[in-house]
Amino acid sequence: FPMEKLMEQFLEQSAQAEENFYRVEEQRLQAEDRRREAEHARELHMLQMLAQVFSSGRPSSSSSSTPKPSPPARPPVISSTPPSQHTRGPPGHLKRPASQTDSFSQPPSTDPQALALPSVLERYYSLGSSSLGGMDDDIVSLVKSIVPPLTSKKHKGQDGRIGIIGGCKDYTGAPYFAAISALKVGGDLSHVFCTKDAATVIKSYSPELIVHPVLDSPNAVEEIEKWLPRLHGLVVGPGLGREDFLLKTAKEVIERSRARDIPIVIDADGLWLVTHQPAVIQGYQKGILTPNFMEFTRLFEALHHEPMNSSDHQRSVMQLSAAMGNLTLVLKGEQDLISDGSKVYSCSVEGSGRRCGGQGDLLCGSMGVMAHWAHAASTAGLIRGMNPSVVAAFGACSLTRQCNNQAFQRHGRSTTTSDMIQEIGPAFRKLFES
Ligand SMILES: NC(=O)C1=CN([C@@H]2O[C@H](COP(=O)(O)OP(=O)(O)OC[C@H]3O[C@@H](n4cnc5c(N)ncnc54)[C@H](O)[C@@H]3O)[C@@H](O)[C@H]2O)[C@@H](O)CC1
Ligand SMILES: Nc1ncnc2c1ncn2[C@@H]1O[C@H](COP(=O)(O)OP(=O)(O)OP(=O)(O)O)[C@@H](O)[C@H]1O
């Protein structure tokens, strides 16, 4: 049957052509990203040098009667520690006496560098929003330094193409909150990979999202993998549900994203998957887990095979992060505790008493973008001596809490996550751009 043969050949050729297209496209995007990153690094380096020249050349006389110009922003390089020492010592200018640091290192360390940063972070972030005007520039600069400058030379996509794996029949709000938050923080494109019956609903919430109804298709993994070369960050779990097929797809997508070195934030039902199969993300340095207390307890008990000591959260966070191969972990709560297994950082920016559903989705969506920024900044040598995943986690936690605070001031008890999303722009400016 020559007709059938012809058809077969045709199909084979078009599959081949499609594959070639994606390969070439992937190479093109990677080359473009490298070029833009190098350009970005050069620009920041120039700014740094200018700032240094400016601050060293500035007249020091305080008795001068003419008003002094305000100093430029602090240069973004945080430390001169070699990049191989991520997660170890803090930036030199953040050092402080070890005596003030005891409660944040588990077990207590004798290395003054290792002791210094957590307590500095704690000292500032415990101050709450009322003291935002008096922020400690050193600490805020950790997060500020990863925020890419907005310049007219940029093209769409460069500041973040983020993928959300989640959205099913029961949950359409969660992936929407995560994806729209990624855009509002400053990511350029947000892709949602959800089930067919969730797709139209999610699309109808916002024309800004790119929605792929593929999560329950038989070749879901391949459908999603096509997009991986274009993604800078992945958020797995918001509204994913717990059906076996969906969890299996999520697992394979995580594995393939790991192989491509893409930063991955895992939340909600994605954490259910990790609780049952920790190896899927264990030891991946670009992975971040964001459990609430319940999710944390489940994960802890699955890994340690014993009940958690709930009187010492800091120790538990350190233990679990270490057991996960020094993965960055955020235990959300009254204070957010962040650890990569070597230290615990506490974020206590003042929020409010209002705990509506979806705040965690805002957090993980914004963290997806910040993780991309932080790893790009680290690759460019702009943050050294500090784990980029921790910087991203810290930035996203502060931002979510600040949004909660601002939304509550306007809406009080009726505050919802949509109200918080409205506050992302002003909150971001207040924390990281003022
Ligand atoms: N609008 C939406 O579509 C939303 C969907 N969501 C999705 O809903 C699904 C299930 O999420 P759940 O968070 O309900 O997960 P679970 O079904 O595991 O429930 C966890 C339970 O723990 C409780 N809890 C949380 N923190 C606690 C604490 N500190 N102490 C004691 N109890 C605590 C919560 O009230 C919740 O009922 C996920 O896919 C999630 O993404 C949520 O993100 C909320 C918004
Ligand atoms: N008691 C609290 N005080 C202040 N902020 C809090 C408090 N609890 C949680 N948060 C903040 O709310 C954000 C989301 O945490 P939450 O515990 O609501 O997550 P979640 O339960 O996973 O959310 P979701 O409803 O999206 O599933 C975190 O960034 C955290 O900082």
Side-chain angles (χ1 to χ4, degrees):
F1 303 106
M3 199 55 188
E4 270 178 19
K5 253 216 153 70
L6 265 175
M7 189 55 105
E8 217 171 80
Q9 267 178 3
F10 172 74
L11 286 175
E12 239 168 57
Q13 279 168 1
S14 44
Q16 186 69 43
E18 194 183 358
E19 210 169 277
N20 286 345
F21 168 78
Y22 281 119
R23 203 177 15 250
V24 172
E25 181 69 357
E26 179 178 357
Q27 285 164 356
R28 193 185 66 73
L29 283 170
Q30 279 171 355
E32 178 67 3
D33 278 353
R34 276 197 298 275
R35 193 182 69 72
R36 295 282 177 173
E37 268 161 22
E39 196 177 299
H40 175 198
R42 263 199 313 277
E43 278 170 9
L44 282 173
H45 185 66
M46 289 279 288
L47 280 173
Q48 252 177 274
M49 294 204 347
L50 276 173
Q52 270 163 11
V53 168
F54 189 74
S55 53
S56 59
R58 197 157 45 96
S60 59
S61 158
S62 55
S63 58
S64 161
S65 56
T66 48
K68 281 194 281 184
S70 13
R74 184 176 286 275
V77 167
I78 297 166
S79 137
S80 57
T81 315
S84 59
Q85 293 180 15
H86 279 329
T87 79
R88 293 283 158 230
H93 63 273
L94 294 183
K95 283 182 203 164
R96 63 187 295 222
S99 60
Q100 295 173 41
T101 64
D102 297 350
S103 60
F104 300 103
S105 293
Q106 292 284 353
S109 166
T110 49
D111 171 6
Q113 271 209 335
L115 288 167
L117 188 57
S119 60
V120 177
L121 295 175
E122 166 73 5
R123 184 193 56 188
Y124 158 64
Y125 275 97
S126 294
L127 294 176
S129 66
S130 60
S131 65
L132 280 173
M135 286 195 299
D136 183 328
D137 285 347
D138 284 344
I139 295 153
V140 175
S141 74
L142 293 172
V143 181
K144 281 183 175 175
S145 67
I146 68 167
V147 178
L150 296 172
T151 75
S152 57
K153 290 190 187 128
K154 290 203 163 159
H155 69 78
K156 176 186 68 183
Q158 207 184 333
D159 281 349
R161 295 183 290 264
I162 306 302
I164 313 290
I165 308 289
C168 64
K169 187 158 55 75
D170 291 338
Y171 307 120
T172 55
Y176 161 76
F177 289 144
I180 199 79
S181 300
L183 288 180
K184 292 278 183 191
V185 163
D188 290 342
L189 294 166
S190 248
H191 294 257
V192 178
F193 300 90
C194 60
T195 63
K196 273 190 204 65
D197 44 11
T200 315
V201 183
I202 298 172
K203 281 179 192 184
S204 72
Y205 295 150
S206 163
E208 272 131 352
L209 307 181
I210 303 164
V211 183
H212 308 271
V214 295
L215 207 51
D216 50 352
S217 75
N219 55 343
V221 177
E222 288 69 33
E223 292 280 354
I224 298 170
E225 192 175 22
K226 279 184 195 167
W227 289 92
L228 293 184
R230 307 173 195 199
L231 297 184
H232 294 121
L234 197 69
V235 180
V236 181
L240 176 64
R242 293 178 192 166
E243 274 184 39
D244 285 348
F245 180 75
L246 300 181
L247 293 178
K248 188 167 173 289
T249 301
K251 175 176 178 264
E252 287 180 38
V253 171
I254 292 172
E255 284 164 353
R256 294 180 193 206
S257 306
R258 263 184 93 153
R260 290 176 181 276
D261 213 26
I262 298 173
I264 307 173
V265 178
I266 304 188
D267 187 40
D269 298 320
L271 294 168
W272 182 261
L273 168 69
V274 175
T275 299
H276 293 88
Q277 305 189 43
V280 70
I281 195 76
Q282 219 156 14
Y284 184 50
Q285 297 307 299
K286 290 191 179 176
I288 310 179
L289 307 184
T290 55
N292 60 30
F293 184 71
M294 289 295 278
E295 292 158 341
F296 184 89
T297 310
R298 281 199 287 254
L299 190 55
F300 186 97
E301 292 177 359
L303 265 112
H304 293 275
H305 307 290
E306 61 179 18
M308 190 177 100
N309 172 4
S310 55
S311 66
D312 191 348
H313 286 182
Q314 296 192 5
R315 176 178 285 276
S316 302
V317 171
M318 288 268 290
Q319 282 176 337
L320 184 53
S321 169
M324 287 299 296
N326 288 82
L327 202 68
T328 299
L329 201 71
V330 180
L331 169 56
K332 299 176 290 192
E334 193 173 350
Q335 294 183 349
D336 293 327
L337 298 178
I338 303 164
S339 179
D340 60 4
S342 53
K343 301 168 202 150
V344 179
Y345 305 89
S346 164
C347 177
S348 314
V349 167
E350 190 181 332
S352 78
R354 178 73 173 121
R355 302 267 70 77
C356 51
Q359 299 184 23
D361 306 316
L362 191 165
L363 176 74
C364 66
S366 45
M367 204 179 287
V369 177
M370 289 196 174
H372 161 52
W373 291 351
H375 286 285
S378 172
T379 306
L382 297 171
I383 46 171
R384 293 178 177 170
M386 181 82 182
N387 183 342
S389 295
V390 171
V391 175
F394 206 88
C397 287
S398 335
L399 181 68
T400 306
R401 300 172 75 95
Q402 181 66 24
C403 288
N404 182 258
N405 182 280
Q406 290 178 197
F408 187 77
Q409 284 176 31
R410 286 178 199 269
H411 306 280
R413 191 176 286 278
S414 79
T415 299
T416 60
T417 299
S418 298
D419 299 321
M420 286 172 59
I421 287 167
Q422 295 294 319
E423 297 297 331
I424 290 178
F428 191 99
R429 268 198 301 281
K430 184 162 188 174
L431 289 176
F432 309 128
E433 291 180 319
S434 58

